[in-house]
């Protein structure tokens, strides 16, 4: 006898998917995206860039390696829910400290299993990322009409400044390095050679670890930090982090700050939302993508060298390359759709990329960019 559905996913167009709920009980409205990564579901759920986004995993085995505190990319999960093909099973992994279902229940995140994720992914690709309501009720009672109406009424991410919500509230120092066998993060009491201020629009921990590993003494400031507050730390370089939401909305306060820093001849390095913030500050514009890029297998071409890198991505907006002003050079493009994935300012140590060179999860083809940032600070000293 088939199980009674205990979870429901309702799309704004009226399409409904039923399945088995897990994690927290309740209801949430969000944008639906799909992620093609085969590993790293915990890192994905704790990536602040997924604020207000429910993630459909195209890989069916989600939950089989459990969870561990070492893999969190933020103190708490940020994605409000997930959609999976098969119900999560008991973990089989020597690193696991808990299973995914219990972890989600404790953290207030909703999951639905038993969904045809191939069909759902196809719909997202064809129609764009929809507004949805995800509900989990152990009794299986759902008001479908009300859920669809709520999805239709939701304002969506366009125009939302979500970076302010996920950013730190006060400054702090970061000195933890990258993870290494047999399971510890590098940490040194020695003074790092370069002072870096990282502006936190929703920074992943592994980005901060990568900065520290490359020789940076990292001071993290909130997204709303002013140029005066950044410069008060006497940085030798400024890093602009990843984050969620509409870059134009965050740019209302971030762009004036970055433009002031651009006049100080400091090395500046941006990732993801930080890339978009830098582009806006330089005079370009951003656009909402149909379904965005979310996964750990995205090919990107360095147009200046011809090199192709496999990268990790998570973004629903992109820099419009047609609006890059004179003196700003497009350095990387997506081989999936030709969208902009990187830029640099001619004859200045200012550059950024749309993808995630720190990976976590994903390949490490682009980790050299952190060393490039370090070299820019070293050259400035010289």
């Amino acid at each position: 006898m088939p199980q009674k559905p205990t979870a429901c996913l309702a799309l704004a167009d009226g399409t409904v998917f039923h399945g088995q709920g897990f994690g927290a009980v309740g209801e949430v409205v969000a944008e639906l995206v799909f992620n093609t990564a085969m590993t790293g579901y915990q890192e994905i759920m704790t990536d602040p860039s997924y604020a207000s986004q429910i993630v459909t995993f195209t890989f069916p085995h989600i939950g089989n390696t459990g969870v561990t505190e070492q893999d969190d990319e933020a103190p708490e999960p940020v994605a409000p829910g997930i959609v999976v093909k098969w119900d999560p099973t008991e973990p089989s992994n020597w690193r696991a400290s808990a299973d995914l279902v219990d972890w989600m229940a404790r953290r207030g995140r909703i999951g639905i299993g038993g969904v045809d994720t191939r069909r759902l992914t196809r719909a997202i690709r064809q129609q764009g990322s929809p507004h949805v309501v995800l509900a989990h009720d152990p009794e299986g009672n759902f008001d479908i009409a009300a859920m669809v109406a709520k999805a239709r009424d939701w304002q969506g991410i366009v125009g939302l400044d979500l970076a302010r919500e996920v950013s730190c509230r006060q400054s702090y120092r970061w000195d933890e390095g990258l993870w290494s066998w047999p399971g510890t993060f590098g940490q040194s009491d020695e003074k790092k050679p370069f002072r870096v201020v990282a502006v936190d629009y929703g920074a992943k921990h592994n980005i901060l670890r990568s900065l520290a590993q490359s020789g940076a003494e990292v001071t993290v400031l909130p997204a709303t930090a002013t140029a005066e507050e950044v410069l008060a730390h006497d940085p030798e370089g400024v890093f602009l982090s990843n984050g969620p939401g509409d870059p134009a909305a965050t740019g209302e306060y971030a762009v004036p700050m970055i433009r002031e820093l651009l006049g100080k001849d400091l090395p500046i390095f941006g990732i993801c939302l930080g890339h978009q913030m830098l582009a806006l500050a330089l005079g370009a514009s951003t656009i909402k993508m149909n379904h965005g890029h979310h996964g750990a297998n995205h090919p990107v071409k360095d147009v200046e060298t011809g090199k192709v890198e496999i990268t990790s991505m998570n973004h629903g907006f992109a820099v419009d390359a047609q609006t890059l002003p004179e003196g700003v050079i497009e350095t990387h493009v997506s081989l999936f759709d030709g969208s902009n994935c990187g830029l640099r300012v001619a004859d200045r140590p200012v550059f950024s990329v749309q993808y995630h060179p720190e990976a976590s999860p994903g390949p490490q083809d682009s980790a050299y960019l952190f060393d490039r940032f370090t070299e820019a600070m070293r050259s400035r000293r010289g």
Side-chain angles (χ1 to χ4, degrees), residues 157-165 199-201 223-227 240-260 262 272-286 317:
I157 290 178
V158 174
L160 284 187
D161 171 29
L162 296 175
R164 194 192 301 259
E165 296 181 13
V199 182
D200 176 17
Y201 301 120
T224 54
T226 65
L240 308 174
S241 87
N242 65 294
D246 187 338
T250 303
E252 291 293 327
Y253 55 85
V255 164
M257 180 275 287
I258 296 170
R259 283 179 176 164
E260 191 169 341
L262 286 169
C272 195
L273 183 61
H275 164 68
Q276 297 161 0
M277 289 298 97
L278 179 60
L280 290 174
L282 291 168
S285 61
T286 56
F317 291 80

Side-chain angles (χ1 to χ4, degrees), residues 50 52 73 110 117 153 185 235 243 265 272 293 328 343 374 379:
Y50 280 108
S52 292
E73 288 296 328
I110 302 173
T117 52
D153 291 342
F185 292 104
D265 195 33
C272 195
H293 290 163
V328 179
L343 63 82
T374 300
S379 296

Side-chain angles (χ1 to χ4, degrees), residues 81-313:
I82 61 174
V83 182
V84 300
K85 170 66 175 176
W86 292 332
D87 297 338
T89 58
E90 290 293 319
S92 177
N93 177 15
W94 66 272
R95 294 181 65 235
S97 58
D99 67 61
L100 176 64
V101 173
D102 290 343
W103 180 80
M104 289 180 59
R106 293 196 309 272
R107 307 294 183 90
R109 306 296 148 171
I110 302 173
I112 179 173
V115 172
D116 185 349
T117 52
R118 294 183 68 179
R119 176 189 167 200
L120 188 56
T121 299
R122 189 180 302 112
I124 296 171
R125 282 184 56 85
Q126 294 173 346
Q127 303 167 25
S129 296
H131 299 172
V132 302
V133 170
L134 173 62
H136 174 201
D137 178 5
E139 301 300 320
N141 297 318
F142 305 104
D143 186 339
I144 303 299
M147 292 174 64
V148 171
K150 187 178 293 187
R152 289 174 178 170
D153 291 342
W154 187 56
Q155 66 174 342
I157 290 178
V158 174
L160 284 187
D161 171 29
L162 296 175
R164 194 192 301 259
E165 296 181 13
V166 300
S167 177
C168 61
R169 296 295 180 261
Q170 59 186 19
S171 65
Y172 64 93
R173 290 289 183 91
W174 183 280
D175 61 3
E176 184 178 82
L178 295 173
W179 188 90
S180 61
W181 183 265
T184 58
F185 292 104
Q187 199 157 1
S188 173
D189 294 330
E190 297 179 6
K191 184 175 177 61
K192 302 287 185 180
F194 301 105
R195 298 182 305 277
V196 170
V197 166
V199 182
D200 176 17
Y201 301 120
K204 291 172 61 182
H205 287 170
N206 217 51
I207 285 180
L208 302 178
R209 294 186 189 111
S210 297
L211 288 170
Q213 190 78 22
S214 64
E217 180 183 89
V218 183
T219 300
V220 185
L221 297 187
T224 54
T226 65
E228 183 180 9
E229 290 169 334
V230 171
L231 295 172
H233 293 274
D234 191 25
E236 296 176 274
V238 176
F239 175 78
L240 308 174
S241 87
N242 65 294
D246 187 338
T250 303
E252 291 293 327
Y253 55 85
V255 164
M257 180 275 287
I258 296 170
R259 283 179 176 164
E260 191 169 341
L261 293 180
L262 286 169
K264 303 299 181 182
D265 195 33
L266 284 168
I268 298 177
F269 175 26
I271 287 176
C272 195
L273 183 61
H275 164 68
Q276 297 161 0
M277 289 298 97
L278 179 60
L280 290 174
L282 291 168
S285 61
T286 56
I287 53 177
K288 182 74 163 69
M289 305 176 76
N290 180 61
H291 55 270
H293 290 163
H294 310 275
N297 54 357
H298 287 250
V300 168
K301 182 177 181 179
D302 184 329
V303 297
E304 297 182 302
T305 66
K307 177 183 177 181
V308 175
E309 304 166 17
I310 303 302
T311 71
S312 184
M313 286 195 182

